[in-house]
Amino acid sequence: MRWFGSWKEKMNKQAQPSKKNYSVLYLVFTVGLMITGFLISPYGKVGELFVEGDSTIPDQLVLDASKITSKQTVIGTLASEKAIEAQIMASLPQVKAVTVKRTGLNDIIIKVADYQTLAYLSENNRYQSILENGMILNESLKFPMGNKPLLTKFEQGPLLNEFISGFKDMSKDIHDTISEIQYMGTKTNPYKISIYMNDGNQVIANITDFSNKLAYYPDIIRKLKGKKGIIDMEVGVFFTPFNSVTEKEIDIETQTEE
């Protein structure tokens, strides 16, 4: 019967929980209590909120759009970070990218990057930002900020997007020569624009290729030798002086330097 006794002893040992199992259960229970205690304590709630990044948006607007409050738990906030990020971008169309992260024990950082303002839509002495993604912000300013060109008679849509694409392709030196761009599209030519330069000249061009043609503007000015007028770049390059009835239209492309 020795075999039976050994078998019985073995079964009894298996039925008894080991000290190791008790230790694991105790650890899980303790961690659970610590987490629960942290969540119900002031440290489990959101502490301070910080806004960082390359952004011109006032911090308070970002905080308001996030709808994060000190009543929320840090864990709950981080679990909803994607929803919060989407909420901020929906509320503030000038936001290009946003991330919500924890810092320290219970503080939250909202890092924001903006779409750049490329120009301003001018109407009735008010100015609306035109962003690099083609969005026109509803908020208007009394004065434009920085050395950005003014656009008139443009509307948000495919033509504006095509203009922005061409404008972004130009060098900063050419950007700095432009004062204002007016949309002059017609049924026969929906791409026509008038560009007013800082030096007093006016350029007529098409949205489809103005960026390529304006690259030659410095060379054209040298050929004109100080004359001011209208430079038509729609087909070829022609110059008509201002306030002149004696001088005729000049074909700049065929004109040679004296």
Side-chain angles (χ1 to χ4, degrees):
M1 292 301 188
R2 186 172 180 178
W3 172 84
F4 179 77
S6 299
W7 176 80
K8 186 175 181 181
E9 183 180 350
K10 185 177 180 181
M11 292 297 294
N12 287 336
K13 286 183 179 180
Q14 290 179 346
Q16 295 176 358
S18 67
K19 290 182 179 180
K20 185 178 180 181
N21 290 338
Y22 275 125
S23 298
V24 172
L25 291 173
Y26 178 76
L27 179 62
V28 172
F29 180 73
T30 302
V31 171
L33 283 178
M34 291 174 64
I35 293 174
T36 302
F38 177 78
L39 289 175
I40 64 176
S41 74
Y43 295 106
K45 305 294 183 181
V46 172
E48 293 191 69
L49 289 169
F50 301 96
V51 178
E52 296 181 353
D54 183 15
S55 173
T56 58
I57 306 172
D59 290 356
Q60 192 57 52
L61 288 181
V62 177
L63 297 177
D64 291 343
S66 74
K67 297 184 180 179
I68 300 174
T69 70
S70 58
K71 294 181 181 181
Q72 296 174 226
T73 64
V74 175
I75 292 178
T77 300
L78 295 179
S80 305
E81 65 179 74
K82 294 303 179 185
I84 294 172
E85 291 165 3
Q87 186 172 270
I88 293 172
M89 295 184 73
S91 300
L92 302 170
Q94 60 267 54
V95 172
K96 186 176 184 178
V98 59
T99 56
V100 177
K101 300 295 181 183
R102 179 180 62 85
T103 181
L105 188 62
N106 62 339
D107 297 332
I108 298 294
I109 290 179
I110 303 174
K111 192 169 184 178
V112 177
D114 294 358
Y115 285 109
Q116 293 184 1
T117 297
L118 293 186
Y120 288 95
L121 182 65
S122 175
E123 186 175 2
N124 299 325
N125 294 321
R126 301 290 295 186
Y127 305 93
Q128 293 173 269
S129 295
I130 300 176
L131 306 181
E132 59 180 316
N133 64 343
M135 179 73 70
I136 300 175
L137 299 185
N138 290 327
E139 295 82 6
S140 61
L141 306 172
K142 290 183 179 180
F143 304 99
M145 298 174 63
N147 187 27
K148 310 291 185 185
L150 303 181
L151 272 60
T152 57
K153 300 184 179 180
F154 276 85
E155 295 181 354
Q156 189 168 301
L159 286 175
L160 177 59
N161 292 339
E162 188 169 356
F163 169 82
I164 289 174
S165 178
F167 187 80
K168 289 164 68 175
D169 286 340
M170 295 192 301
S171 68
K172 184 179 183 302
D173 289 341
I174 298 298
H175 284 175
D176 292 342
T177 65
I178 299 173
S179 173
E180 182 178 338
I181 303 101
Q182 182 178 353
Y183 177 68
M184 300 179 65
T186 62
K187 288 184 178 180
T188 55
N189 182 10
Y191 300 103
K192 187 176 181 178
I193 54 175
S194 178
I195 306 171
Y196 297 90
M197 313 302 286
N198 286 322
D199 61 9
N201 285 311
Q202 180 183 354
V203 175
I204 305 298
N206 293 314
I207 290 175
T208 52
D209 59 4
F210 79 99
S211 59
N212 294 330
K213 291 190 173 182
L214 277 181
Y216 300 100
Y217 186 75
D219 294 331
I220 293 171
I221 295 305
R222 281 192 290 270
K223 289 183 177 182
L224 292 178
K225 297 180 178 181
K227 294 179 181 179
K228 303 298 180 184
I230 299 173
I231 302 170
D232 194 329
M233 294 183 172
E234 290 181 277
V235 180
V237 183
F238 298 92
F239 174 73
T240 303
F242 289 135
N243 302 322
S244 175
V245 293
T246 57
E247 295 191 63
K248 297 181 180 181
E249 185 181 77
I250 302 170
D251 186 343
I252 300 295
E253 292 183 326
T254 60
Q255 184 184 30
T256 57
E257 297 275 5
E258 295 180 3

